[in-house]
């Protein structure tokens, strides 16, 4: 009887270690991604520019492309610039999430493999099959191939602002709530659920949630980086963002849309959203654990921690389902009025403060 298997698109190589960038050219050559060293490298004006000075001597045949911002226009411009030059082996995104997403989109547009070199761990987009870019209508998500390689130098990560790393913790932990929403959609509406994708995303979140270390520990940073990579792969397995996008992300999107000039980092907003969503589904012990871990890592638990009033939080939660039409989460299931959200929030505060 034949053994049935499925092929899962995933990076050819994932290097998460101290000094991982010391021989980027050698790693890409060894993996037959780029033997010639002809690379189009997209960089930011901050961490990317600083690393250019360090890496350029070892990459003499690479061309460097500064990227102004994380917009669709910048991604299209990068693709057009790349098409007008020599034949490259790959596109490298060197920087934070915005640069990596721009590089992902540009690489897809010109038909080249993409290498993600992350300089911070702010969210799970570094290995996902999605490029999130700002456009004229706000922000859009665009399907792209999974990066062919992911390189995360822990020495470089340590140089990033602490807030960026903590944001990644919030995004990783939120997986647990996202998978719970996915399972709810399966139970109530019969939405298909991919057990492998759900397991990968949930275990990535659990590993970060239950690790005793801090962002000062290499062991914790490695678990966090691995968790974010696995989350990205889980979305590839599922074929969409469902393993890592639930009510918590709807709430975050609502903050972004309703208060675009005041929204906090993505991971901070989804951390609050995930903890509140766990409370809404009656998982009060889990919500209390979330709150304890978030506080230990100096992440926000209440909207006031990121500068929003209770009324604004209620407004965001009420508006949240409109951000992802067709997605079923605990918010759509309960369909709470503004007054009911306010009452649930009051109970949430009591639970998290007493935890």
């Amino acid at each position: 009887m034949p053994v049935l298997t499925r092929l899962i698109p995933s990076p050819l190589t994932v290097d998460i270690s101290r000094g991982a960038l010391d021989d980027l050219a050698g790693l890409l050559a060894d993996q037959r991604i780029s033997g010639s060293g002809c690379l189009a490298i997209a960089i930011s004006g901050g961490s990317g520019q600083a690393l250019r000075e360090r890496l350029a001597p070892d990459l003499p045949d690479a061309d460097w492309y500064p990227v102004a911002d994380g917009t669709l226009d910048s991604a299209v411009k990068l693709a057009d610039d790349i098409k007008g030059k020599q034949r490259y082996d790959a596109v490298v995104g060197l920087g934070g999430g915005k640069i990596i997403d721009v590089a992902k989109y540009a690489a897809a547009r010109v038909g080249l493999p993409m290498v993600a070199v992350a300089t911070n761990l702010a969210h799970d987009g570094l290995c996902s099959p999605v490029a999130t870019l700002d456009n004229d209508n706000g922000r859009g998500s665009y399907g792209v191939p999974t990066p062919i390689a992911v390189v995360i130098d822990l020495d470089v990560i340590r140089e990033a602002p602490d807030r960026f790393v903590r944001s990644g913790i919030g995004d990783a932990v939120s997986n647990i709530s996202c998978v719970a929403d996915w399972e709810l959609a399966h139970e109530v509406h019969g939405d298909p659920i991919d057990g492998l994708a759900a397991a990968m995303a949930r275990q990535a979140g659990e590993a970060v949630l239950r690790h005793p270390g801090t962002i000062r520990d290499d062991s914790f940073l490695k678990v966090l980086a691995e968790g974010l990579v696995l989350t990205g792969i889980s979305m590839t397995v599922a074929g969409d963002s469902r393993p890592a996008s639930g009510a918590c992300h709807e709430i975050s999107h609502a903050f972004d849309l309703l208060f675009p000039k005041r929204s906090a980092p993505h991971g901070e907003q989804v951390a609050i959203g995930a903890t509140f969503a766990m409370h809404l589904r009656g998982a009060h012990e889990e919500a209390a654990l979330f709150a304890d871990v978030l506080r230990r890592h100096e992440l926000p638990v209440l909207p006031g921690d990121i500068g929003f009033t209770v009324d604004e939080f209620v407004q965001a939660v009420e508006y949240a389902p409109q951000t992802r039409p067709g997605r079923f989460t605990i918010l759509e299931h309960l369909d709470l009025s503004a007054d009911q959200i306010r009452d649930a929030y009051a109970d949430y505060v009591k639970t998290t403060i007493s935890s």
Side-chain angles (χ1 to χ4, degrees):
M1 186 174 181
V3 177
L4 301 179
T5 62
R6 60 172 167 170
L7 299 178
I8 300 172
S10 63
L12 183 62
T13 183
V14 175
D15 187 354
I16 303 171
S17 62
R18 299 188 67 173
L21 277 181
D22 289 347
D23 187 22
L24 178 62
L27 181 146
L28 297 181
D30 288 346
Q31 297 297 326
R32 300 184 181 179
I33 296 169
S34 176
S36 70
C38 292
L39 301 165
I41 305 180
I43 59 171
S44 63
S47 58
Q49 182 60 41
L51 286 171
R52 174 181 180 174
E53 298 175 8
R54 168 183 161 186
L55 299 175
D58 295 325
L59 296 166
D61 295 313
D63 290 329
W64 301 79
Y65 294 89
V67 174
D69 51 36
T71 63
L72 180 60
D73 287 344
S74 289
V76 171
K77 180 180 184 301
L78 175 61
D80 290 343
D81 290 345
I82 290 172
K83 282 191 294 186
K85 294 291 184 70
Q86 61 175 304
R87 173 65 181 174
Y88 296 111
D89 297 324
V91 177
V92 178
L94 175 60
K98 290 182 180 180
I99 300 304
I100 288 176
D101 279 355
V102 165
K104 281 187 204 173
Y105 184 94
R109 194 175 175 96
V110 300
L112 287 174
M114 185 270 177
V115 177
V117 181
T119 58
N120 66 59
L121 300 177
H123 59 75
D124 59 24
L126 58 95
C127 191
S128 73
V130 177
T132 302
L133 302 168
D134 293 330
N135 55 43
D136 293 339
N137 294 317
R139 182 166 295 173
S141 296
Y142 305 88
V144 295
T146 301
I148 197 171
V150 177
V151 180
I152 302 174
D153 189 325
L154 297 181
D155 291 328
V156 173
I157 297 302
R158 284 185 173 280
E159 296 174 4
D162 289 351
R163 191 176 188 184
F164 287 175
V165 181
R166 292 188 175 111
S167 180
I169 295 170
D171 209 10
V173 169
S174 76
N175 287 4
I176 300 167
S177 177
C178 297
V179 173
D181 279 326
W182 198 8
E183 291 173 336
L184 177 66
H186 176 68
E187 293 167 5
V188 175
H189 284 306
D191 289 8
I193 186 167
D194 188 303
L196 177 59
M200 292 174 70
R202 178 159 40 209
Q203 291 309 308
E206 290 282 357
V208 174
L209 181 71
R210 301 188 185 274
H211 195 289
T214 71
I215 62 172
R216 304 297 170 203
D217 305 325
D218 278 352
S219 62
F220 178 78
L221 287 178
K222 190 160 189 175
V223 166
L224 175 59
E226 290 172 346
L228 296 175
V229 170
L230 280 174
T231 301
I233 296 174
S234 77
M235 288 187 258
T236 301
V237 172
D240 63 22
S241 63
R242 197 69 218 243
S245 179
C248 49
H249 283 62
E250 291 181 338
I251 292 171
S252 179
H253 294 325
F255 276 128
D256 293 338
L257 291 169
L258 295 173
F259 313 104
K261 295 183 178 180
R262 295 171 50 209
S263 56
H266 171 79
E268 294 184 2
Q269 292 180 169
V270 298
I272 295 173
T275 310
F276 184 63
M278 295 300 284
H279 177 82
L280 285 180
R281 63 174 50 93
H284 295 171
E285 290 185 6
E286 289 88 343
L289 175 60
F290 275 33
D292 286 344
V293 171
L294 294 178
R295 287 197 183 96
R296 181 166 66 81
H297 288 296
E298 299 180 37
L299 278 158
V301 174
L302 303 177
D305 298 336
I306 54 173
F308 289 102
T309 66
V310 174
D311 287 343
E312 289 170 334
F313 180 72
V314 171
Q315 183 183 356
V317 174
E318 187 177 26
Y319 182 80
Q322 299 180 51
T323 67
R324 294 303 300 267
R327 179 150 294 184
F328 189 81
T329 75
I330 191 64
L331 298 180
E332 289 79 6
H333 182 59
L334 296 178
D335 191 22
L336 301 176
S337 66
D339 287 341
Q340 289 172 319
I341 295 170
R342 193 180 304 279
D343 290 343
Y345 177 76
D347 289 337
Y348 168 75
V349 172
K350 293 176 183 177
T351 300
T352 54
I353 288 178
S354 64
S355 64

